[in-house]
Amino acid sequence: MSEKTNKDVETFLEVEVKLAVDETTGIPDLTQLPGVEEILSTEEHNLTAIYYDTEDLRLTRAKITMRRRTGGDDDGWHLKLPSGANRTEMRAELDSPSEIPAELTNNVRAIVRTAELAPIAQVDNRRVVTSLGSATGEKVAEFCDDHVTAWSLLPGGERATWREWEVELSDFTAGTEAGAELIHQATNFLISSGARKSSSPSKLFTALGDSIHSAPLPPHLQETDLDPESPEGAVVEALRGHRDAIVNWDPRVRANEWDSVHQMRVSTREMRSLLETFEGILEGDQLGHLESELKDIAATLGVARDAEVVEERFVELLESDETGLVDAAAAEHIRGDMRADYEAAHAEIVDMLNSERFLTLLDDIDALLAEPPVSPEITAPAEAKKGAKGSKGSKGILYEHLAEGFKKVAKRHAKVQEHYHDTELPLHDREDYVHDVRKAAKKLRYAAVAAEGAGVKSGRLAKACKTLQSLLGDFQDAVTSRDRIQRLANEARERGEDTFAYGMLYQRELARGEQALEGYESAIRDVKKAFSKIKA
């Protein structure tokens, strides 16, 4: 399906409940619902919706719907995305029935990629809408009595008819405690009035029926022959989890949701770390390529993430300052310049997410999950392994990887002990040794989590590494913030402005960094102790 550019996209939080009901069941008195005092209006609409998806139903399997609806007061293109227990609905105008707006498809680009979107079902609905009002006349919800006729357009698809009731909160009550209570009470009330919980999550699923099984599975959902409790099974499942996280964070990063850039960066770095750590369980030329691509993506995300972290720290520094020595010009630059840096970096991220290179990477990851390149030594028959010199059991293989990861942490910690307090070395060089420990601890943590999935008792190690990583992360944030303060000071000096405030804030970040290291030795001891409890 082709796309068009349309800037008029509206976003709504959809909070609703759907219930199945027989054709002869009567509608109860809806003013008995909590918060409902009157019926504002009743209207009838004839709606037609054409649903679109890829040949392998990537959107449907991800509980996402893309449709073109006509009739009623919301004609247009609709995209519905999961949002916790509810859904976020995005709407765009119906300028053309054959062109899906790019502003909608971009939000599912990581799922659809270059695959064509084509009609998979048609749903016709004779809908009677009753608007429910509060005591003050505000619309709190809509009650919909739907009489549905649907056709699956997949091979083997059939016609289906049914009736259902739907209660959807209005913008006035969606996301409020009163709205949540209304949905809860409406569900119980309507069930007691003859409705029942539907066995299908949506009209689309009901329309597709058994024909959904005629569609092929996307590569990442295709089953492998791996034992999930084996080392290779645990590693592949860990990679699959990070793959899903990257895809799921994509639309949230585009929407600039809080912490989304950070979470997507974490997922890319964790996946890369696992590919590096478990080389030998998985092997092949594609691993190096994936590691390189993931590194570049994490770097692009990192520019925005660093700007985001520094901005938050700058605001905190300004709001907690009690000296009154930060002049207005410095405060304006401290608040505004990092926001500008973040916005520019975020635009670069969106360009990256739309790039052919990123979409190809996702395809390559899915191909690896569909056919994991497991080392022949790992998959050799048990009889062959039994007689092989130096053969190891599953847990032994994973233990070796953990031991190698722990060795790197210990080696880098030794350098910190040797060099960090050597004031003859430049400060940044000494701080880099600390940062190296954090990176090694992070990789060991990811390996411990994956190993635990295969039965190795490494959960305590993963927890200890997380504590160490978090502590050193606070330290590194202070270092990054100091670097940006120094840059702002240099720019202020070039403008002929007073730089005293920057020096004061720089010193405060220096102290905060040292404070973050107060628990370092204890955290390292915990990592050593946790590793010593793991047996090969």
Side-chain angles (χ1 to χ4, degrees), residues 208-379:
L208 294 178
D210 291 338
S211 70
I212 194 172
H213 303 301
S214 68
L217 285 173
H220 73 283
L221 292 180
Q222 294 174 13
E223 294 186 5
T224 69
D225 296 329
L226 301 181
D227 179 354
E229 297 184 358
S230 67
E232 59 274 21
V235 172
V236 169
E237 281 307 302
L239 292 173
R240 190 186 307 278
H242 296 314
R243 175 264 178 210
D244 291 346
I246 292 170
V247 170
N248 291 336
W249 280 110
D250 179 286
R252 301 170 73 173
V253 169
R254 293 172 185 273
N256 209 8
E257 289 188 17
W258 181 82
D259 204 39
S260 58
V261 171
H262 171 56
Q263 293 300 332
M264 181 180 244
R265 185 189 185 202
V266 167
S267 297
T268 59
R269 297 176 79 173
E270 287 185 1
M271 176 175 279
R272 174 173 171 252
S273 180
L274 284 176
L275 290 171
E276 290 178 337
T277 302
F278 292 113
E279 189 172 351
I281 290 179
L282 301 179
E283 62 178 30
D285 295 339
Q286 68 265 52
L287 298 186
H289 171 70
L290 290 178
E291 291 168 20
S292 177
E293 293 294 280
L294 288 166
K295 181 179 180 180
D296 287 349
I297 289 172
T300 300
L301 293 164
V303 175
R305 174 56 182 166
D306 287 348
E308 185 177 44
V309 169
V310 172
E311 181 190 18
E312 291 173 358
R313 293 180 75 89
F314 281 4
V315 170
E316 182 183 352
L317 285 171
L318 290 174
E319 291 180 347
S320 62
D321 178 60
E322 298 178 351
T323 67
L325 297 176
V326 180
D327 60 277
E332 182 179 353
H333 282 290
I334 288 169
R335 289 182 183 275
D337 290 7
M338 290 314 304
R339 171 49 38 178
D341 283 358
Y342 173 79
E343 290 175 352
H346 185 267
E348 291 291 328
I349 290 174
V350 174
D351 288 342
M352 181 267 292
L353 296 178
N354 287 330
S355 69
E356 181 180 351
R357 181 181 180 184
F358 179 68
L359 300 181
T360 299
L361 170 63
L362 295 180
D363 283 340
D364 291 344
I365 293 172
D366 284 356
L368 179 141
L369 294 175
E371 297 184 20
V374 179
S375 168
E377 293 184 12
I378 301 295
T379 56

Side-chain angles (χ1 to χ4, degrees), residues 121-273:
Q122 175 175 332
V123 174
D124 291 346
N125 181 13
R126 182 172 64 83
R127 165 170 286 184
V128 179
V129 183
T130 302
S131 296
L132 309 178
S134 67
T136 58
E138 295 281 356
K139 186 168 82 169
V140 295
E142 287 184 345
F143 172 83
C144 300
D145 183 16
D146 291 341
H147 300 261
V148 185
T149 301
W151 296 264
S152 169
L153 304 179
L154 300 180
E158 298 179 346
R159 178 179 180 273
T161 60
W162 69 93
R163 183 187 180 202
E164 67 182 33
W165 286 344
E166 176 183 306
V167 176
E168 180 175 353
L169 299 182
S170 68
D171 293 341
F172 181 72
T173 50
T176 67
E177 291 185 7
E181 178 64 16
L182 174 55
I183 284 288
H184 174 71
Q185 293 290 346
T187 302
N188 293 335
F189 176 65
L190 294 175
I191 288 177
S192 67
S193 300
R196 58 190 180 277
K197 288 191 174 182
S198 175
S199 59
S200 178
S202 68
K203 289 181 175 67
L204 175 59
F205 269 92
T206 304
L208 294 178
D210 291 338
S211 70
I212 194 172
H213 303 301
S214 68
L217 285 173
H220 73 283
L221 292 180
Q222 294 174 13
E223 294 186 5
T224 69
D225 296 329
L226 301 181
D227 179 354
E229 297 184 358
S230 67
E232 59 274 21
V235 172
V236 169
E237 281 307 302
L239 292 173
R240 190 186 307 278
H242 296 314
R243 175 264 178 210
D244 291 346
I246 292 170
V247 170
N248 291 336
W249 280 110
D250 179 286
R252 301 170 73 173
V253 169
R254 293 172 185 273
N256 209 8
E257 289 188 17
W258 181 82
D259 204 39
S260 58
V261 171
H262 171 56
Q263 293 300 332
M264 181 180 244
R265 185 189 185 202
V266 167
S267 297
T268 59
R269 297 176 79 173
E270 287 185 1
M271 176 175 279
R272 174 173 171 252
S273 180

Side-chain angles (χ1 to χ4, degrees), residues 82-104:
S83 179
N86 304 309
R87 293 206 289 180
T88 296
E89 180 175 342
M90 303 180 69
R91 299 177 188 171
E93 293 180 2
L94 187 61
D95 290 342
S96 170
S98 60
E99 294 180 295
I100 305 177
E103 283 69 33
L104 296 189

